[in-house]
Structure formats: structure tokens, C-alpha cells
Amino acid sequence: MRERAAQHTLRRRRGRRSTATALTAALVMTGAAVATTLTAQPAGAAATVASWPSASGSQAVSSTIAVSGTYDGSLKRYYGSGDLGDGGQDEGQDPIFKLKDGATLKNVIIGTPGADGIHCSGSCTLQNVWWEDVGEDAASFKGTSSSATYKVTGGGAKKASDKVFQFNGAGTLTITGDFQVSDFGKLVRSCGNCSTQYKRTIVVNGVDVTAPGTSLVGINTNYGDTATLRSVRIHGDSSKKIKPCVRYTGNDDGDEPTETGSGPDGTYCKYAASDITYN
């Protein structure tokens, strides 16, 4: 009786051990599956976009504010009034801010109406600047030196029926620092029909793009423009309607430029498929 009882007890213990072993194996497999799911996400692919800041106050602007050196708006909202307050999309409007060569504008919210946003007469830095409802353009870059540098770091823009950034001058424009754009036509357009044309270099590195939108960058290949795209995260565009880079033949007589192609080509539109992620 004791031997049979002992054998029965041993069988029960072995059964418990088998069950525990099976449970452990299942947990290990589940953990491996979770780890595989996590590591399968593309590097740099953000699931969500950072929220917009709240304004610390508001200031009506009836005439353009000239900026030299550094202007810190402390996240105040600036909006057009008087001659700057019609809220239209017409060309030739005056800006809310006009930056001299080498100036920096930071921690500013451009409200509604936004007039023609910001003009940079030469090299400039726009740091943590937000456009709540883009007017004619969010910013225009107008320096005439090939060594001019324009930097847009952080911030964001939305509700741009046409262009966000208008690149009329010469030099290099860099957009980075998790800048975000949504509900827009074009993020950057190298002027296709300005009376004076230049070679323009555009770098878009580390930005969040939310549909709807038409294109990220438009360049003129006949003037030697280039666009380099890195770490671009596109949200809400599973059908991939937003074109990352569009090539045109520009002119200097005011005619509508001719679109000649789109997509990476290694010469003018410089990026690989891995530089664009879709969320």
C-alpha cells in the first residue's frame, strides 16, 4: 500500500512539473513574440505626434515687426490686424515678422490672420515657431548669397492651402528638430518662376507629416536644386498620396513651371525608401 501510494504521489508530482514546464515555455514564447513585435517597428517611427503648445498670451500686429539679433516671443500668439489682418492668400502681403541677416526668432506662435508669416532677408533661424493657420506662406527665405543658411528647428504649421515655406533666395534651407506639418499643400517650394533664380539646397531631416498634403519638396532641376530627405515620418497616408519630392523645370519669366517627375533619383531628389516611414 505504501509503495502504491508513493508511486501515485510521484506521478502527481511529475504531472505538476510537466504542467509548470509547459507554462514556462508558453510564457517564454509569448515574451519572444512581444519582443519580436516591438523590434519590428522601424527605427524612428513615432506612433504619435507631439501636441501643440498653448499660447502664453496674444498680441495684435498692425505693422511688420523688424528683428535683428534674437527675438524670444515666450510662446505669445501674434496675429495680424489692420493692414495685416485681412487673412487672405494673395501674393505680396507684408509679413508679421521680418528678420535681418543672421537674426533668430524663437518661441513664437503665429495666429490668425497670419498675413505673410515671416520673411528672412538673409540667413536666419526659426526655433520653436508655430503657425496655427498659414496665411499666404508661413515663411519666405530671400537671401541672395549662395552661402546663406536658413534653419527651421522644431515648431510646426497647419492649414496651408498652398505652400508652407517659400524658398525664393539662394543658399541652404534645413528643416529639422521634429518639425511637424499637417493639412497642407507643399511643405517647401523652390520658387519656380521668380525673376531672379538661384541654385537652392533643401534638407528635410526628422519631421512629422500628417495628411492631407500634396508634396513635401518641389525643386527646379534646371537650376541645380537638390533636396535631401532623412527620417521623415508620414501619418495618416496609408495610400501614399503625399509625394516626398517633385522635380520641375523652372523659369524666370513668371510662367507656370513644368513638372518633370517625382521620387528619388540620386541626383536631385536624394533619399531612399527607408528614409520615409508611414504610421
Side-chain angles (χ1 to χ4, degrees):
M1 292 293 292
R2 288 179 182 176
E3 184 178 349
R4 290 180 181 176
Q7 288 176 348
H8 182 66
T9 300
L10 180 59
R11 282 196 293 269
R12 283 190 299 175
R13 287 175 180 172
R14 285 177 178 171
R16 289 172 183 173
R17 287 174 183 172
S18 299
T19 302
T21 301
L23 287 172
T24 301
L27 287 171
V28 169
M29 291 177 66
T30 302
V34 171
T36 300
T37 302
L38 290 175
T39 56
Q41 294 178 354
T48 58
V49 180
S51 59
W52 279 53
S54 298
S56 62
S58 294
Q59 178 176 326
V61 180
S62 59
S63 61
T64 300
I65 299 172
V67 178
S68 59
T70 298
Y71 187 105
D72 188 339
S74 301
L75 283 180
K76 184 184 294 184
R77 176 184 292 112
Y78 297 81
Y79 62 93
S81 66
D83 291 340
L84 299 179
D86 67 2
Q89 296 281 336
D90 296 336
E91 295 289 336
Q93 294 184 63
D94 289 331
I96 300 289
F97 291 95
K98 184 173 183 179
L99 277 60
K100 295 184 179 180
D101 186 23
T104 295
L105 181 68
K106 64 181 184 179
N107 301 323
V108 162
I109 298 173
I110 304 295
T112 307
D116 199 25
I118 299 165
H119 287 185
C120 286
S121 302
S123 296
C124 69
T125 298
L126 306 181
Q127 180 181 340
N128 197 36
V129 176
W130 303 82
W131 291 264
E132 294 179 323
D133 189 341
V134 175
E136 181 184 340
D137 300 310
S140 299
F141 306 100
K142 301 186 172 188
T144 58
S145 171
S146 60
S147 61
T149 57
Y150 319 93
K151 298 178 182 178
V152 179
T153 304
K158 55 188 176 182
K159 300 179 182 177
S161 62
D162 189 12
K163 304 173 296 294
V164 176
F165 297 124
Q166 177 70 43
F167 196 175
N168 293 344
T172 300
L173 167 62
T174 301
I175 304 169
T176 188
D178 296 329
F179 181 87
Q180 56 182 271
V181 62
S182 62
D183 191 7
F184 65 103
K186 309 172 187 72
L187 175 58
V188 187
R189 179 66 173 102
S190 173
C191 185
N193 54 12
C194 286
S195 58
T196 302
Q197 290 285 23
Y198 305 94
K199 177 184 183 299
R200 304 178 180 107
T201 301
I202 299 169
V203 178
V204 178
N205 186 358
V207 301
D208 283 290
V209 179
T210 301
T214 302
S215 64
L216 298 184
V217 180
I219 57 175
N220 308 310
T221 58
N222 57 316
Y223 295 121
D225 293 354
T226 62
T228 300
L229 308 182
R230 297 287 185 269
S231 300
V232 175
R233 302 172 293 269
I234 298 180
H235 307 263
D237 186 29
S238 57
S239 58
K240 300 183 179 180
K241 293 182 179 180
I242 298 174
K243 297 179 180 180
C245 185
V246 182
R247 297 182 292 276
Y248 295 87
T249 296
N251 61 76
D252 58 5
D253 53 17
D255 292 339
E256 193 65 24
T258 303
E259 181 177 333
T260 58
S262 63
D265 63 0
T267 302
Y268 302 105
C269 292
K270 301 180 179 182
Y271 66 97
S274 59
D275 293 310
I276 314 291
T277 58
Y278 292 84
N279 298 290

